[in-house]
Every structure is written in structure tokens, then in C-alpha cells.
């Protein structure tokens, strides 16, 4: 029931190009984590992802064939025989213990729920935890106290920010749980967390943010943002 | 590069059925278009494998897909040897994970594509790929055979639409799936009937969520 309500309320979705890259398998890990988390609670984007997977399926079906080795089937059957048979295949009995904040892929990175995050203070009450940093893209959790602003900044690359708890507003709109804000060169904004509740976001970036005031710029090497 | 696809905003070709987003009419259209009324051969084969775990069914499936999977991996840049090994591992995964196959969501080739893609990221590129969590209602599958037929027909239409795209646009899509485009170079894929697949799956998910409440 909770899942259903969340799905219906999501208004800001992933860009189609990001879904296509995730389906094609070329999206860096940091962004893939945001996609996996958003799709976990958004039926519309789950359906979109399936449609891009179908493009991959159509290409596989229509690809030219190449010769396989004579013993390929025998070797594959041998691989199957070596597999542990009692190992559960996905679809774990996890539906009752769903974390109210963190979708499963995020729990896998954090090693648990929100209480298990290893936060680091970055000033102004804002905290962060870096979860993935590979292929030039970084995924981090951000904790912004209620009513606090993230300093005015722009983006050189692509930034995907998904709200997990609370909400924030900026020059574009208000973003609630499940919503994803897409930042690029064209977006310069000052996100402010709603007054009522601390805001937790999952953010993925592939280039340092560009701060427009002196102090955050000075802090940037330490913040690693 | 990006603009070539992004700006080729073509209307959906007239040879494709005009699916209506309204649920009722959409279903009616679908019935009219069920000329074959059967899921494709390989989806049926995978469903049979799911039920029986019969080596003969697997062997048939293997004969069809193994040469394609290997070619797909080689187009993604794997050497012949690496592609052969990875293909065998991926096909073993097909056997192992066959219980998770949901023919109402994907055809055999789409499902096998996702397994091959994940295997490639994991075994060839040595990267981690976060996956969405499983649907909350577990592995129960649609008992409506019309869903299987619809998935097969939609993929057939998708293949036809792909074949009829202008050469340059089709090449861009192939490059995207063969790993030759970075994520920033991939644009939305226009000219493909992806909306029909999206709305059917979306309706299916909604139906299941309503059944849950």
C-alpha cells in the first residue's frame, strides 16, 4: 500500500536517455544506483526500462550468428552441474522487511538502513556519505537539515538527485520522495530543504559542482563535491 | 551525434497499430491484432523449460540463442575466446534463473538479453551493476495468456520498426547497445513503438498493485 502511494506521487522521473544507457549497460555505476533506486519505487519508469530492454532483445534476436565451439552445450551443462542448487534465486523473502526509506539497491551499498550510514559532516549541518566512485562518477547520500540551503551552484556534467526523505525546493520546482531532479550545464540552483523535516537525497555526479560563492569553493576540495 | 536521433522526431509509422492509451480501447485493439494468438516460439520454449526443466528444451533454446549471444558479446568488443566463455556462463544463468522469467513482461530474447548484459558488465567489464528491487508480489506470474501474446507481438513490431528506421538512426541504436556510445551520447530512441510496451506493462503493474490492496 505504501509502495503504491509512493509510486502515484512521483512527478519527476528519470530522463529517457539515462534509462536507455542503463538498459544498454553503459551507464556508470553511480548513476545506475540512482536508476535502480528510482525504478524500485516507480512503476512508470520500471515499464520504460522494460521497453528499452525489449530493444536489446530485438537486437539480440536479429543479430548475425557466429560459430560456437562444438562442445559449447556440454560445457554449459557442466557449468550448470557445478552450480549450487540450494542457493535461492533472487525474489528473496524480503517483501515484509522492506526499509521505509532505502530501496534494496541502496541498502546493499549502505549495508543496512539509514541508521547504518557512515555520515561525514561537511559544514552547515549538512552531512554526506560517498557510496560509489568509479568510471568518473560519484554517488553519495546527502543529509540536509530541515530549512537548510545547499549553496547556490551550477553543474558541468550530469547530476541526478533523488529524494529519499523530506523534500527540497529550488528555482525549478519542489521535489519529494521518489522525485529525481536532473542537473546539467543549464541548471544553476539553490536547493532548500523543507522546513518540516530533514531531507535525505541520493545524488550522482560526474563532475565537481560549480559553486557561485567564495566559501563553498574554498571548502570544495575537502567536501569532495 | 546526439542530435541525429533526438531531432529525427518521426511520427509512428502507419503500418504499426494505433494503440490507444485508454485502457479499455487498448485491450480491444489488442484482440483485433492477435492474428497469431501465440507467443513466439522461443518464449514458449522458455516457459516449457520453466515448467519441466527439460534438457531437450534447453538444448533447443541453446541452439537458437548461443550463436546470437556469442555474436552479441563479440560486437560488444569481447575476443572470440572471451565471448565463447561468457556465452556459456550466461546460458548457464538462463537455466539457473529460469524461474524468474515472467513472460508477461518480457519475451525470451528480451529476458536473455538482460542476463547477457549483466554477465557482460560483471564478467567482462568487471563493474558492479545495481539492480532495481524485485516487485513486492514475488514470482507469481500473469495467468493471462493474452499478455504473453502481446509481449511477443510488440517485440515483433519493434523489430520491424527497427528494420525500417533510416540507416543512420538504426546504426545509432545498435552502437548504443553494442557499447559504442557513452551515456552522454545516448539520446532518446525515437521512431520505435516503445509506448505500446510501456503502457501494457504499466497497466499490468497497476493491476497487480490493486490486487494486492
Amino acid at each position: 500500500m505504501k509502495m503504491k502511494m509512493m509510486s502515484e506521487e512521483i512527478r519527476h522521473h528519470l530522463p529517457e536517455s539515462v534509462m536507455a544507457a542503463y538498459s544498454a549497460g553503459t551507464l556508470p555505476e553511480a548513476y545506475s544506483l540512482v536508476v535502480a533506486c528510482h525504478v524500485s519505487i516507480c512503476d512508470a519508469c520500471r515499464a520504460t526500462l522494460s521497453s528499452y530492454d525489449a530493444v536489446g532483445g530485438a537486437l539480440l534476436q536479429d543479430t548475425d550468428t557466429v560459430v560456437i565451439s562444438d562442445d559449447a552445450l556440454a560445457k554449459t551443462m557442466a557449468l550448470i552441474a557445478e552450480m549450487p542448487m540450494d542457493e535461492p534465486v533472487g525474489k528473496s523473502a524480503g517483501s515484509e522487511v522492506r526499509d521505509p526509506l532505502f530501496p534494496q539497491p541502496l541498502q546493499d551499498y549502505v549495508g543496512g538502513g539509514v541508521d547504518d550510514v557512515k555520515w561525514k559532516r561537511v559544514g552547515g549541518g549538512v552531512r554526506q556519505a560517498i557510496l560509489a566512485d568509479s568510471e568518473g562518477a560519484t554517488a553519495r547520500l546527502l543529509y540536509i537539515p530541515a530549512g537548510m540551503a545547499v549553496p547556490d551552484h551550477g553543474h558541468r556534467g550530469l547530476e541526478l538527485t533523488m529524494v529519499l526523505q523530506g523534500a527540497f525546493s529550488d528555482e525549478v520546482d519542489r521535489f519529494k520522495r521518489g522525485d529525481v531532479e536532473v542537473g546539467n550545464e543549464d541548471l544553476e540552483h539553490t536547493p532548500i530543504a523543507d522546513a518540516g523535516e530533514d531531507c535525505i537525497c541520493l545524488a550522482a555526479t560526474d563532475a565537481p559542482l560549480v559553486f557561485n560563492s567564495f566559501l563553498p569553493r574554498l571548502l570544495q576540495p575537502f567536501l569532495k563535491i | 551525434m546526439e542530435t541525429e536521433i533526438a531531432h529525427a522526431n518521426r511520427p509512428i509509422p502507419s503500418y504499426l497499430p494505433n494503440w490507444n492509451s485508454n485502457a479499455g480501447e487498448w485491450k480491444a485493439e489488442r484482440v483485433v491484432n492477435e492474428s497469431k494468438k501465440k507467443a513466439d516460439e522461443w518464449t514458449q520454449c522458455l516457459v516449457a523449460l520453466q515448467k519441466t526443466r527439460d534438457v531437450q528444451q534447453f538444448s533447443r533454446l541453446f541452439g537458437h540463442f548461443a550463436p546470437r549471444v556469442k555474436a552479441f558479446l563479440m560486437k560488444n568488443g569481447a575476443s572470440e575466446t572471451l565471448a565463447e566463455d561468457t556465452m556459456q556462463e550466461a546460458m548457464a544463468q538462463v537455466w539457473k534463473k529460469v524461474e524468474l522469467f515472467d513472460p508477461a513482461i518480457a519475451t525470451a530474447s528480451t529476458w536473455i538479453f538482460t542476463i547477457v548484459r549483466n554477465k557482460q558488465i560483471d564478467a567482462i567489464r568487471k563493474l558492479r551493476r545495481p539492480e532495481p528491487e524485485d516487485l513486492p508480489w514475488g514470482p507469481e506470474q500473469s495467468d493471462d495468456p493474452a499478455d504473453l501474446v502481446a509481449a511477443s507481438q510488440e517485440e515483433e513490431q519493434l523489430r520491424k520498426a527497427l528494420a525500417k528506421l533510416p540507416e543512420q538512426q538504426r546504426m545509432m541504436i545498435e552502437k548504443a547497445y553494442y557499447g559504442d556510445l557513452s551515456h552522454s551520447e545516448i539520446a532518446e530512441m525515437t521512431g520505435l513503438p516503445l509506448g505500446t510496451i510501456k503502457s501494457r506493462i504499466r497497466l499490468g503493474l497497476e493491476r497487480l498493485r490493486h490486487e494486492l490492496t
Side-chain angles (χ1 to χ4, degrees):
Chain A
M1 190 61 204
K2 189 159 202 166
M3 294 283 295
K4 187 184 161 205
M5 284 166 58
M6 289 187 303
S7 294
E8 282 174 359
E9 285 169 4
I10 295 172
R11 285 174 47 234
H12 297 276
H13 298 273
L14 292 161
E16 294 252 334
S17 61
V18 168
M19 302 292 277
Y22 179 77
S23 171
T26 47
L27 195 65
E29 181 188 352
Y31 299 117
S32 295
L33 181 57
V34 179
V35 173
C37 287
H38 181 78
V39 168
S40 292
I41 61 170
C42 176
D43 283 352
C45 287
R46 195 183 281 270
T48 300
L49 179 59
S50 299
S51 74
Y52 280 103
D53 286 347
V55 177
L59 290 175
L60 177 65
Q61 181 64 34
D62 279 345
T63 192
D64 305 328
T65 57
V66 292
V67 176
I68 58 168
S69 71
D70 293 339
D71 57 355
L73 180 57
K75 279 183 160 175
T76 304
M77 294 312 294
L79 284 175
I80 291 166
E82 284 168 18
M83 285 174 171
M85 287 317 285
D86 49 351
E87 196 179 296
V89 182
K91 304 271 183 195
S92 51
S95 39
E96 305 82 25
V97 291
R98 236 158 246 273
D99 186 288
L101 282 189
F102 288 4
Q104 189 60 48
L106 185 55
Q107 287 184 53
D108 293 345
Y109 274 78
V110 168
V114 68
D115 296 334
D116 301 297
V117 179
K118 293 174 183 67
W119 296 107
K120 292 211 166 103
R121 293 178 184 282
V122 293
V126 177
R127 290 181 279 166
Q128 72 163 359
I130 291 178
L131 302 177
D133 193 356
S134 66
E135 300 162 271
T138 309
R140 58 166 55 79
L141 279 168
L142 283 169
Y143 190 104
I144 309 154
M148 278 290 294
V150 176
D152 177 21
H153 64 274
H155 313 84
R156 282 202 203 93
L158 173 67
E159 182 186 50
L160 298 177
T161 308
M162 176 179 166
V163 180
L164 297 159
Q165 174 189 294
F168 72 81
S169 300
D170 66 6
E171 288 80 346
V172 179
D173 204 344
R174 179 164 176 266
F175 296 84
K176 306 188 303 294
R177 171 158 171 99
D179 284 336
V180 178
E181 179 167 45
V182 184
N184 54 33
E185 312 69 71
D186 302 329
L187 178 69
E188 234 177 66
H189 65 161
T190 312
I192 303 171
D194 275 18
E197 192 178 10
D198 294 345
C199 181
I200 300 177
C201 296
L202 173 66
T205 49
D206 64 352
L209 305 181
V210 189
F211 286 102
N212 300 327
S213 66
F214 176 68
L215 193 63
R217 232 182 308 154
L218 203 71
L219 288 171
Q220 203 161 9
F222 305 104
L223 306 190
K224 214 176 166 239
I225 57 179
Chain B
M1 298 249 286
E2 206 167 331
T3 50
E4 285 169 11
I5 288 182
H7 289 170
N9 225 331
R10 294 143 47 87
I12 293 176
S14 57
Y15 54 84
L16 295 171
N18 180 22
W19 303 104
N20 194 305
S21 58
N22 175 286
E25 287 177 57
W26 174 82
K27 193 145 195 174
E29 289 258 357
R30 188 173 77 180
V31 174
V32 173
N33 282 284
E34 275 173 29
S35 48
K36 280 192 289 180
K37 292 197 188 275
K38 265 178 147 180
D40 76 89
E41 183 183 357
W42 303 111
T43 299
Q44 291 184 56
C45 181
L46 199 53
V47 170
L49 180 67
Q50 193 172 45
K51 286 179 182 145
T52 61
R53 292 265 175 176
D54 176 27
V55 178
Q56 293 251 292
Q57 296 289 355
F58 184 71
S59 162
R60 266 183 69 215
L61 198 73
F62 192 93
H64 179 75
F65 281 106
R68 288 175 168 77
V69 169
K70 185 176 174 181
F72 191 88
L73 289 165
M74 287 173 72
K75 283 184 180 167
N76 259 292
S79 69
E80 206 260 331
T81 324
L82 187 58
E84 175 77 35
D85 291 349
T86 311
M87 173 275 284
Q88 291 172 14
E89 286 170 25
M91 292 308 290
Q93 289 289 313
V94 168
W95 174 284
K96 188 182 178 186
K97 293 189 169 173
V98 70
E99 281 158 25
L100 300 180
F101 173 59
D102 185 346
I105 289 191
T107 60
S109 56
T110 294
W111 187 69
I112 292 173
F113 157 75
T114 63
I115 287 184
V116 172
R117 172 200 59 205
N118 292 1
K119 195 82 214 161
Q120 185 215 345
I121 293 172
D122 172 53
I124 300 184
R125 292 170 58 209
K126 312 274 184 210
L127 294 169
R128 182 170 173 184
R129 176 183 167 92
E131 284 281 321
E133 67 190 23
D134 296 327
L135 295 167
W137 48 82
E140 296 86 15
Q141 282 150 10
S142 162
D143 49 5
D144 184 358
D147 281 337
L148 279 64
V149 176
S152 288
Q153 289 192 336
E154 284 162 3
E155 189 182 287
E156 185 60 33
Q157 284 153 13
L158 186 56
R159 287 167 58 203
K160 282 183 187 157
L162 259 172
K164 290 194 180 182
L165 282 180
E167 177 75 6
Q168 215 172 24
Q169 202 176 337
R170 193 171 48 77
M171 291 291 287
M172 286 296 284
I173 292 171
E174 287 184 5
K175 278 173 82 173
Y177 280 83
Y178 296 144
D180 294 331
L181 294 183
S182 74
H183 71 277
S184 54
E185 291 168 327
I186 293 181
E188 183 179 347
M189 286 161 196
T190 54
L192 292 176
L194 298 185
T196 61
I197 301 177
K198 273 184 228 179
S199 29
R200 180 181 54 80
I201 294 175
R202 187 72 211 277
L203 282 174
L205 293 173
E206 263 171 35
R207 203 165 52 213
L208 281 164
R209 290 207 192 278
H210 279 302
E211 280 168 15
L212 270 187
T213 54

